[in-house]
Amino acid sequence: MKTILVTLLCGLLFFTAEAQEANLLSGKFSKEELKKILIAQAKWAPFPKRQDRAGWAKADQAMMQAYLKKAETYLTYKWPYIPATKSLLIGRTGDRDEYQLVSFEKREVLGTLLLAEIYENKGRFTDQIIDGVWSICEESFWGVPAHLPKSKAYAGLMDVSKPFVDLFAAETATYLAWVDYYLGDKLDAVSPQIRKRIYNETDYRVFQPLMTQPHGWMTKTAAGRAPNNWNPWICSNWLNAVLLLEKDDDKRAASVYKLLDVLDEFVNPYPNDGGCDEGPSYWGAAAASLFDNVALLNTASNDAFAYVYADEKFRNMGRFIYRAQISDRYFLNFADADPQPGMASTMIYRYGKAINDPDMMRFGAYYRKPETGTIGKFHYFRHFYSLFMQSEFQTAAQGLPLPKNVWLPDLQVFAARDKAGTTDGFYVAAKGGHNDESHNHNDIGNYVVYYDGQPVLIDVGRGTYTSKTFSGKRYEIWYNCSDYHNLPTINGQNQPPGPQFKARNIAYKEADSFTQFDLDISQAYPKEAGVLNWQRTVRLNRGKNVQINDVINLEKATELTQHLMTCYPTDLGKPGELLIHYAPRGGKARDFVVTYNPKQFRASVEKVKLDAPEDRGIVSKWGDTIYRINLNALTPKTTDRVNLTVAAN
């Protein structure tokens, strides 16, 4: 029997990740060389201009007709003003959505109208587009109130004299830049002030701040946390806008040169295994946005950045999306990730093709859907790539890789399933890491168990974002805390946030009959918990069960509770058994048994009350069906073993 054993020390892991500062993007060309390889703005045509009807005849006609049909519903759209009081809600009630829904809708309408006008080219949508451009240019802030500094100097309203760039200010620049690119002549025929305003507003709100002001998302935090998805996501829109709008080629090249430095602040500390600590639902704006940048750079430079596609870290960053898959519907959702994220199918396919990964290409093609004319809210430029690849994409092979084992040593995440290439049977995953990861939950040692691709023991994930989510009150939200994960509360203490709270003594083993992950979670708890060692083993015994074994060594033992989270009603069976009434949507209902030592623990089950504003997102993902199982130690001991087994009844 072949067995693979990998043992890692945490300190070495983080040092290794930090040491890989290759400057993959910024280290290739000098500023002078970059200016030479960039195609001049006046000559650059990333996609056919609107007047190139032969070029647009190659765009997918079904997609264009769907956009046209959707745009026709917007011909009488009344462009809304966003009152100050909607912005103030972020401080008054914590609500983000009232403002965001209006802001996002306006951009979605504008983008849809633009696609329809490109397709029809009769001027029917031009006035509506002009009204949309003017309305957006008149907004006080292109971002959202949730991203305003939390201080009395702002108090929920933008200081228009000090523009800065958040995610959605950058997104707005992209929408306006493509309007200028495709309809510039039509806008000038109405008034030269329209394009002039597009540039002036974008230059003032986006280009100048990015070139002259530090932004927190550009580099690591004061505590050393690496940049998250904001970095490549904003850069992708910055790059779109400056390549399209900036007519001064010196300024244009200088902007791209700085942007490459900013992107490497994201890439350099990224783990070599490609693991995204923000999870699959943020991958689409993290590694995927990095790909967007590289793809657009290649379009603008005659493929001068094609070398990036051969870089192993970049390739692993792409592969993460299918390595984190549980089933066609569910993905591994540690931290703030969603259990059922949407898949940007054509972008994934393009990424897979660029790195020559047939599995990723099949995975992307698996999620292709009929066109409805809906463009979504973000990453607008991906639609143009998609329009010109459909003849290949629609006939591409489909399939889900569903690897038997996944081991990400830098991220400290493992996953294993009973059989490769199928969701049949058990799937288990667990994580180490530390409690200062991006979108962090205090969850060192947490694990999930699925069966036939459906949840049994879950990570609840995140709910609705409110003003509380990214504030000093983040860990007052229950689902961010360790006692609402599959983790213990030790001597009344739960895991705190912070990079010093981390896993250690990581080991990974795989064989034909089992896969096993070991870690010590003692350093994830505060000193008050009195934990000397807590060695946890999560093991999949293929075709049989999942075992969670803890070896405990404490300074004191006053109280101890093991928590388990599920989305199904659970009853106490005979002593030492919990019955989880597994009833997946569209699947076969059956009971799963969690066995424990009844002489060691007393079990109880509680239904989690979901009535806070943040809980709306939990209900939308799981329904009002979150249950917490509590195994309370009858006689806590300083030295002990805890063994749990999950098996089908």
Side-chain angles (χ1 to χ4, degrees):
M1 179 180 67
K2 182 181 178 182
T3 302
I4 297 174
L5 169 63
V6 180
T7 304
L8 297 162
L9 298 175
C10 280
L12 179 61
L13 272 175
F14 296 125
F15 173 81
T16 301
E18 287 292 332
Q20 302 296 320
E21 299 206 2
N23 292 325
L24 179 65
L25 297 163
S26 64
K28 183 72 171 177
F29 304 108
S30 68
K31 186 180 291 187
E32 293 73 24
E33 290 169 334
L34 182 65
K35 184 182 176 184
K36 289 179 182 178
I37 66 170
L38 285 177
I39 300 169
Q41 190 266 355
K43 297 180 179 179
W44 186 50
F47 302 102
K49 293 290 185 78
R50 189 197 74 257
Q51 302 93 323
D52 180 3
R53 302 319 294 172
W56 274 98
K58 297 175 184 177
D60 186 77
Q61 298 304 294
M63 291 178 69
M64 296 305 294
Q65 289 164 10
Y67 294 143
L68 179 68
K69 186 175 181 180
K70 176 73 76 170
E72 287 176 335
T73 68
Y74 297 141
L75 280 169
T76 57
Y77 182 77
K78 303 299 181 185
W79 294 94
Y81 159 70
I82 310 179
T85 48
K86 284 194 183 295
S87 186
L88 289 168
L89 288 174
I90 194 67
R92 291 176 173 177
T93 68
D95 180 88
R96 300 165 53 124
D97 289 341
E98 279 202 39
Y99 185 103
Q100 290 180 179
L101 289 173
V102 178
S103 177
F104 295 164
E105 181 185 81
K106 289 173 70 174
R107 285 139 181 86
E108 188 173 353
V109 171
L110 179 65
T112 306
L113 291 166
L114 173 60
L115 286 163
E117 184 56 37
I118 294 169
Y119 177 61
E120 192 177 77
N121 197 30
K122 295 179 180 178
R124 186 158 62 117
F125 301 95
T126 303
D127 279 356
Q128 267 291 56
I129 290 169
I130 293 170
D131 281 345
V133 167
W134 213 251
S135 175
I136 288 170
C137 285
E138 288 177 341
E139 292 174 357
S140 294
F141 185 35
W142 282 354
V144 296
H147 297 159
L148 291 170
K150 296 172 177 60
S151 68
K152 291 182 179 179
Y154 287 82
L157 292 175
M158 179 61 181
D159 182 346
V160 296
S161 70
K162 298 177 181 178
F164 65 89
V165 183
D166 77 336
L167 291 174
F168 306 122
E171 286 275 350
T172 302
T174 284
Y175 279 102
L176 296 177
W178 286 109
V179 168
D180 183 274
Y181 175 78
Y182 281 116
L183 298 186
D185 59 327
K186 289 192 175 188
L187 301 181
D188 284 342
V190 174
S191 170
Q193 295 303 318
I194 303 168
R195 296 180 77 190
K196 182 178 178 181
R197 187 165 192 190
I198 286 175
Y199 178 82
N200 287 342
E201 295 286 356
T202 304
D203 185 52
Y204 177 70
R205 298 172 189 246
V206 177
F207 296 163
Q208 290 185 42
L210 288 174
M211 292 300 289
T212 61
Q213 300 173 22
H215 285 68
W217 51 264
M218 289 181 169
T219 188
K220 63 185 178 184
T221 66
R225 182 194 287 177
N228 67 4
N229 68 85
W230 276 50
N231 177 299
W233 186 357
I234 291 176
C235 282
S236 68
N237 287 291
W238 178 12
L239 184 62
N240 264 262
V242 79
L243 287 175
L244 290 166
L245 285 179
E246 184 52 74
K247 293 181 173 61
D248 184 322
D249 284 327
D250 287 331
K251 287 184 178 180
R252 187 168 173 263
S255 295
V256 175
Y257 188 75
K258 178 175 180 178
L259 180 145
L260 296 178
D261 272 330
V262 172
L263 280 173
D264 273 334
E265 291 286 326
F266 173 77
V267 177
N268 286 339
Y270 210 90
N272 291 323
D273 61 23
C276 180
D277 66 359
E278 301 174 89
S281 56
Y282 285 95
W283 176 92
S289 284
L290 177 64
F291 169 72
D292 288 334
N293 281 281
V294 178
L296 194 63
L297 284 165
N298 279 318
T299 305
S301 67
N302 294 313
D303 289 332
F305 290 85
Y307 69 91
V308 175
Y309 298 146
D311 181 78
E312 192 61 21
K313 180 194 282 189
F314 183 83
R315 292 161 64 85
N316 281 334
M317 291 170 75
R319 294 168 178 144
F320 174 81
I321 191 59
Y322 67 78
R323 289 172 172 169
Q325 182 175 40
I326 299 171
S327 62
D328 60 342
R329 289 175 54 205
Y330 288 101
F331 285 73
L332 195 52
N333 69 311
F334 294 138
D336 265 355
D338 289 326
Q340 299 182 57
M343 292 292 109
S345 59
T346 55
M347 178 275 299
I348 294 169
Y349 181 88
R350 289 171 46 234
Y351 198 146
K353 186 176 181 179
I355 65 172
N356 193 25
D357 188 321
D359 281 342
M360 190 171 181
M361 294 169 69
R362 286 193 292 269
F363 175 89
Y366 181 89
Y367 287 98
R368 64 186 181 225
K369 296 178 180 178
E371 293 299 332
T372 64
T374 300
I375 66 168
K377 299 177 176 64
F378 315 125
H379 314 292
Y380 180 64
F381 47 86
R382 291 177 184 171
H383 296 289
F384 297 112
Y385 286 100
S386 182
L387 278 163
F388 292 94
M389 59 174 278
Q390 290 301 312
S391 58
E392 174 185 343
F393 182 64
Q394 293 297 332
T395 58
Q398 296 175 295
L400 299 179
L402 302 174
K404 185 176 181 179
N405 293 302
V406 173
W407 170 230
L408 303 174
D410 301 318
L411 193 62
Q412 298 180 7
V413 166
F414 106 103
R417 64 180 77 244
D418 273 348
K419 301 175 185 176
T422 177
T423 60
D424 293 349
F426 277 112
Y427 170 97
V428 62
K431 73 178 296 292
H434 58 92
N435 279 339
D436 192 41
E437 294 166 339
S438 185
H439 293 269
N440 180 70
H441 289 197
N442 295 330
D443 60 357
I444 307 308
N446 187 39
Y447 58 90
V448 298
V449 178
Y450 280 63
Y451 191 83
D452 286 351
Q454 302 283 352
V456 179
L457 295 177
I458 66 170
D459 186 308
V460 175
R462 73 170 177 92
T464 298
Y465 284 167
T466 69
S467 61
K468 206 173 183 180
T469 307
F470 298 107
S471 72
K473 297 181 178 180
R474 178 175 177 85
Y475 296 101
E476 294 178 13
I477 303 173
W478 61 273
Y479 49 75
N480 294 334
C481 302
S482 62
D483 55 334
Y484 284 89
H485 287 77
N486 301 313
L487 289 165
T489 296
I490 307 170
N491 291 320
Q493 300 294 316
N494 295 311
Q495 295 183 14
Q500 70 273 33
F501 300 104
K502 59 188 179 182
R504 63 177 183 174
N505 298 335
I506 306 295
Y508 169 78
K509 300 176 185 177
E510 65 176 62
D512 292 337
S513 61
F514 75 91
T515 303
Q516 179 175 310
F517 177 61
D518 299 271
L519 75 167
D520 180 358
I521 64 173
S522 59
Q523 288 189 4
Y525 288 81
K527 290 181 179 179
E528 293 81 0
V531 192
L532 298 173
N533 295 97
W534 190 295
Q535 193 69 28
R536 167 161 285 188
T537 298
V538 180
R539 179 181 174 112
L540 170 64
N541 294 307
R542 288 195 164 84
K544 296 179 181 178
N545 56 37
V546 175
Q547 293 178 314
I548 300 92
N549 301 317
D550 293 340
V551 179
I552 302 167
N553 188 5
L554 308 175
E555 291 178 349
K556 59 182 179 179
T558 56
E559 55 181 312
L560 173 65
T561 304
Q562 291 270 16
H563 306 288
L564 303 174
M565 304 299 299
T566 184
C567 57
Y568 302 117
T570 300
D571 289 325
L572 305 182
K574 64 184 181 182
E577 290 188 354
L578 290 154
L579 299 178
I580 297 176
H581 301 304
Y582 170 88
R585 188 173 63 188
K588 180 182 178 182
R590 63 190 302 178
D591 285 347
F592 277 79
V593 180
V594 179
T595 59
Y596 62 95
N597 184 350
K599 296 180 180 179
Q600 193 177 22
F601 292 103
R602 180 181 66 254
S604 62
V605 181
E606 59 180 314
K607 188 173 187 293
V608 178
K609 191 175 182 181
L610 302 176
D611 58 2
E614 294 79 16
D615 295 339
R616 295 195 304 269
I618 302 298
V619 174
S620 69
K621 296 174 182 69
W622 298 106
D624 187 12
T625 59
I626 301 297
Y627 296 85
R628 182 168 73 159
I629 301 164
N630 301 305
L631 298 172
N632 295 292
L634 296 170
T635 307
K637 299 176 181 178
T638 56
T639 302
D640 208 352
R641 290 176 178 267
V642 178
N643 301 311
L644 304 178
T645 301
V646 183
N649 197 8

